[in-house]
Every structure is written in structure tokens, then in C-alpha cells.
Amino acid sequence: ADTVQAEYVWIDADLKTRSKCRTVTTKQAESPESMPAWTYDGSSTGQAPGEDSEVIIVPRASFLDPFRPDGKNIMVLCDTYDAEGNAIPTNHRAPAAVVFEKHEGEVPWYGIEQEYTLMNLDK
């Protein structure tokens, strides 16, 4: 078969994950850039008013789907935009991508920070 199931995943207004599935060609599934954008009714997720509720989901990353055992279907992480192309307020990846693009030559450092509170409970 030259098709796969692509589960588009995004974050809603309550910062919970939502998803919907579509069939795409294996060629489209090769990269997020070749996958089609899609839409959903943002009024049902608290991300758009009822009179102008179309939200566009744009694929940004894809991974093999661990919940579909055949090994070829994918999960697609998406950004959310309004009809004018503006990032929805819960789309925190979009402004982060702008910062990372401005500093493309930099190598980000990530680390774990542990904090401790010392208390004198003997007094």
C-alpha cells in the first residue's frame, strides 16, 4: 500500500493534546514539509470564536506511531494558526522557532537544575 495513517497532534486552549487522523501517501509522509496542512473547528477546542472558527494545523515533526503496530503509520506534531496565518496563543513553538532561526549558528545548551530548601525545624 502506498498510503499511511497520519495522526495530526496539536495542543488546545487548555494545553491538552488533541488529534485527528488522515490518510496520506507514503511520499507525503517522508517529511513534515511535504505533508498537507489541515484545518479543524477551533471553537470546539476554545481556540477560536464561533463566527470565525477555522484553525489551521501545520505539520512540524513526524515520528513512527507507537500505537499502530504495523510500523509505517506516523504521528505528526503540528503548530496551530488562525485563518490569517497568525500563531494561536497556545502555539509556543512558533515564537521559539523565530528565536532559534535568528541564532541559527548558535548551539543551545540544556541542563537540569535542582533546587533545595534548607529548613531548621529544630526551633
Side-chain angles (χ1 to χ4, degrees):
D2 4 344
T3 60
V4 299
Q5 296 296 305
E7 190 75 29
Y8 281 48
V9 180
W10 69 94
I11 297 173
D12 72 9
D14 296 322
L15 302 179
K16 302 230 184 319
T17 54
R18 299 278 185 138
S19 73
K20 65 185 210 174
C21 189
R22 76 183 297 169
T23 301
V24 297
T25 66
T26 52
K27 183 112 177 112
Q28 288 174 312
E30 288 177 359
S31 74
E33 296 80 21
S34 62
M35 297 193 65
W38 204 6
T39 61
Y40 66 91
D41 177 3
S43 65
S44 64
T45 62
Q47 293 174 293
E51 66 277 355
D52 185 19
S53 64
E54 185 170 273
V55 174
I56 302 161
I57 45 180
V58 178
R60 296 300 181 195
S62 63
F63 306 91
L64 286 177
D65 189 338
F67 304 108
R68 292 192 175 99
D70 70 359
K72 65 176 187 169
N73 297 308
I74 57 175
M75 295 187 82
V76 183
L77 303 183
C78 299
D79 278 350
T80 52
Y81 297 90
D82 64 20
E84 286 79 45
N86 303 308
I88 298 288
T90 53
N91 179 358
H92 300 296
R93 198 210 66 83
V98 171
V99 171
F100 287 136
E101 286 171 11
K102 282 183 184 175
H103 303 282
E104 210 170 323
E106 303 281 331
V107 177
W109 286 19
Y110 299 95
I112 297 172
E113 177 182 337
Q114 291 183 315
E115 295 184 16
Y116 297 91
T117 303
L118 301 176
M119 298 179 180
N120 186 353
L121 299 176
D122 293 335
K123 289 187 177 182

